[in-house]
Amino acid sequence: MIRKYTFGSPIPTGAVLQDVPAESGSIPFFTLDREGKKIILSITLQPDEVIFGLGESVRGMNKRGFVYRSWNSDVFNHTESTESLYASHNLLVFFSPARLFGVYLDDPGLVTWDLGYTRSDTAVITSENGDLDLYVLEDASLPDLARSFRRLTGRSYLPPRWAFGYIQSRWGYASEQEIRTVTSEHRKRHIPLDAVCMDIDYMVDFRNFTWKPDAFPDLKGFSEELKQDHLRLVPIIDAGIPVAPGYPSYDSGKAADIFCKKQDGSDFVAAVWPGRCVFPDFLREDARTWFGELYRPLLDAGIEGFWNDMNEPALFYSDEGLADAFARVEELRGEQVEYEAMWWMKDAFNGIANNMDDYRRFYHRIGGTAVRHDRVHNLYGAGMTRASALGFRRYDPSRRFLLFSRSSFIGAHRDGGVWQGDNFSWWSHLKMALQMLPNMNLCGFLYSGCDLGGFGCNVTEDLLERFLQLGVFTPLMRNHSALHTRDQEIYRFASWEMMRDTVGVRYALLPFLYSEFMKAALTDGMYFRPLAFDYPEDPRAVHTEDQLMLGEGCMIAPVLEQNASGRYVYLPEDMLMIRFRSPEDYDLVPLAKGDHRIRLRLREFPLFVKRDHPVLLCPGGESTDTLDDRSFTALCLTDRGAAFEFYRDDGTDPDPRLEDHLIRVAIPAAAPQASPVPGVAISALVL
Ligand code: MIG
């Protein structure tokens, strides 16, 4: 059951597709308070209540015990104290033996989620705007609730199948030659690879939709050359457009008058990579249409995938902000500066980027009226995603394009994937990535992943390997690192063969993982889930924070600590462990429900599978284009045989029907003589 309550005059966000009539009367579960315009919802928590949700945010899968803020932020250097990341996913699900319900705030402004922080037994949700639609969802189970929410907000984005391949990226690749070195080092060593990202250095002066003529003299030819080798280029696009008369994207946007405005009607200007920029008003349909068209030259050059960055929007500084900071500092010139004044002066400049004053300086035009940016801040990235997705659809409605964005809002899950932003080469960020994934899935963002190896700081060999072992299972599997950090491509390391084998396992599993992903996406389900979704009555499972359910029958439990020789894993039921070392080299170990200490040397990582659920391994390969997705080895813990539905399509159809692509597979029972492991059926399948 879904109930809707409207407060004030909400600004349409496009997040919700289903038309739910608004109710009046009291809101179930919550106490409502108002403080000026603010809407404050409070609830007393049950002792064992678990709170899932908030998609991309720091800390545990269970969000209880901290305060979070929905305020899309460019937060290089985030830690577990960071209250806002790049996205606002305003859904919470409360789960305890006493009750199960969800609450969604369709509100594009600042929302604070005090989830047992101020008082450990109370959750308080505060909408700063006070104009919002509030939805309360009730269902019989966690998966049902997730499904209802997806029905409310629409089907998840479908990436092309090649987007499940391994992607190499690094801030700094600046020419054809450099990219050729990356691809040839992979191909030469048989490290599987499907795509290379182009970061901002491919552009002329960081101007969107341009590329350096010397470094990329024939982008179309280059992209064709790579495609011959089953490789694709994925360029970055930033949100800001430089103020540069004569630069076509600026001129056409200026002519159409679609940039965000200050109160006096002039364009709002703030500096980002290209220098002083204006910002398309992505909340306007004409602006989205205009922006979507700008991708055309890159699409014409054969590009089939993009990543959209800096769309919180990130602002380095504005002239106004700069003037304020100078004024603060000027005040102290000639004074005897004591330490307090010195900190104050430092803060004047430290706080200049992504400053709230700047977010209050500009306006969007929504339905003919000017709306100040801070009221709708969290919609900006989603608008950019929508603009791009619509542009691609107009360009070629017959196929899927890869798109992942840094900033997002619920609703954008229909148009693209997301990556988790600027993580660090930290073990704690490996765990954080794992913990974010199921909540992002709950909010609809199925196609996602983190920067494998970590973006900031210097990675170590073992950390990269452990990141890759998580990445084997994340839909987006991209190694990405920042300028001036240690080289992070697999081939830079002495143990590259170990990492090659790990990526090899991804490719052996790829048709199976793709099948699990597509079944989840097309049934409004989740690819990654907290264990509570499958084992709601098992308190151990409900509170497990470092293992995830994957697809219909699998569970992952990666090693998350340095120098570990293994880890403890909790099995909520009997499962088969496949301990991988390479696509061909793995152990099959049936394990009973309960706790296990699993040996996992650096080159080893496990996949667990429920009884009567198979895992399908294909012969592997070096690119998704050349993968044989017909011949499989099925591995299944089963005494009586099992039935399974395998999904396969052409990987490009933008609107596939589930029923048209399901292949029903019968897994025979384990023949005692034929299998080296009692109870495990190993069967060759041709599908
Ligand atoms: O201010 O384009 O999160 O992935 O490499 C930094 C350069 C801008 C931030 C992105 C990161 C990307 C980087 N960008």
Side-chain angles (χ1 to χ4, degrees), residues 171-313:
W171 181 4
Y173 296 159
S175 68
E176 271 186 11
Q177 281 68 31
E178 257 175 279
I179 292 173
R180 268 197 203 100
T181 306
V182 173
T183 58
S184 68
E185 288 295 331
H186 282 80
R187 286 287 181 257
K188 190 166 85 193
R189 297 161 195 257
H190 306 292
I191 305 166
L193 184 70
D194 261 82
V196 178
C197 285
M198 294 160 72
D199 207 323
I200 46 174
D201 303 285
Y202 79 87
M203 300 180 202
V204 180
D205 299 330
F206 305 126
R207 294 179 178 185
N208 284 329
F209 314 110
T210 66
W211 53 92
K212 288 188 178 130
D214 300 343
F216 297 92
D218 175 15
L219 186 62
K220 185 166 197 220
F222 182 49
S223 126
E224 265 161 23
E225 167 197 320
L226 290 181
K227 266 189 223 174
Q228 293 298 311
D229 204 4
H230 311 291
L231 293 161
R232 289 167 170 88
L233 292 167
V234 181
I236 195 170
I237 297 295
D238 282 3
I241 298 285
V243 180
Y247 160 52
S249 301
Y250 175 74
D251 289 345
S252 63
K254 183 81 191 154
D257 196 24
I258 47 141
F259 300 126
C260 292
K261 297 274 183 288
K262 291 197 292 196
Q263 207 171 10
D264 67 6
S266 63
D267 290 343
F268 170 74
V269 176
V272 209
W273 290 109
R276 284 171 172 68
C277 285
V278 284
F279 297 85
D281 187 353
F282 287 121
L283 276 57
R284 277 168 57 182
E285 201 186 333
D286 54 349
R288 292 193 294 265
T289 308
W290 165 80
F291 196 81
E293 283 305 306
L294 300 180
Y295 287 82
R296 200 168 273 274
L298 284 161
L299 295 164
D300 283 339
I303 304 295
E304 298 171 48
F306 295 88
W307 49 313
N308 283 348
D309 191 19
M310 307 300 272
N311 47 5
E312 292 72 27

Side-chain angles (χ1 to χ4, degrees), residues 74 86 170-171 199-200 236 238 273 307 309-310 316 406 419 421-422 451 455 478 480-482:
D74 174 12
Y86 310 83
R170 180 172 174 84
W171 181 4
D199 207 323
I200 46 174
I236 195 170
D238 282 3
W273 290 109
W307 49 313
D309 191 19
M310 307 300 272
F316 291 169
R406 194 169 70 176
W419 91 100
D422 297 343
D451 288 353
F455 176 72
R478 182 176 75 138
H480 181 52
S481 56

Side-chain angles (χ1 to χ4, degrees), residues 551-618:
E552 284 165 5
C554 296
M555 185 179 81
I556 61 168
V559 170
L560 305 170
E561 283 173 13
Q562 187 158 30
N563 299 319
S565 60
R567 57 163 286 173
Y568 283 96
V569 177
Y570 174 66
L571 300 191
E573 62 175 291
D574 294 356
M575 289 185 180
L576 170 66
M577 174 175 73
I578 310 173
R579 179 167 41 205
F580 284 107
R581 284 174 291 273
S582 80
E584 301 81 29
D585 183 16
Y586 49 82
D587 304 320
L588 298 175
V589 188
L591 294 169
K593 169 181 162 71
D595 290 290
H596 296 270
R597 163 82 194 172
I598 308 285
R599 183 207 75 216
L600 295 162
R601 295 190 189 103
L602 185 55
R603 61 167 55 250
E604 295 178 320
F605 59 102
L607 175 61
F608 299 88
V609 204
K610 295 178 189 178
R611 186 176 281 286
D612 298 324
H613 284 269
V615 164
L616 268 49
L617 292 176
C618 79

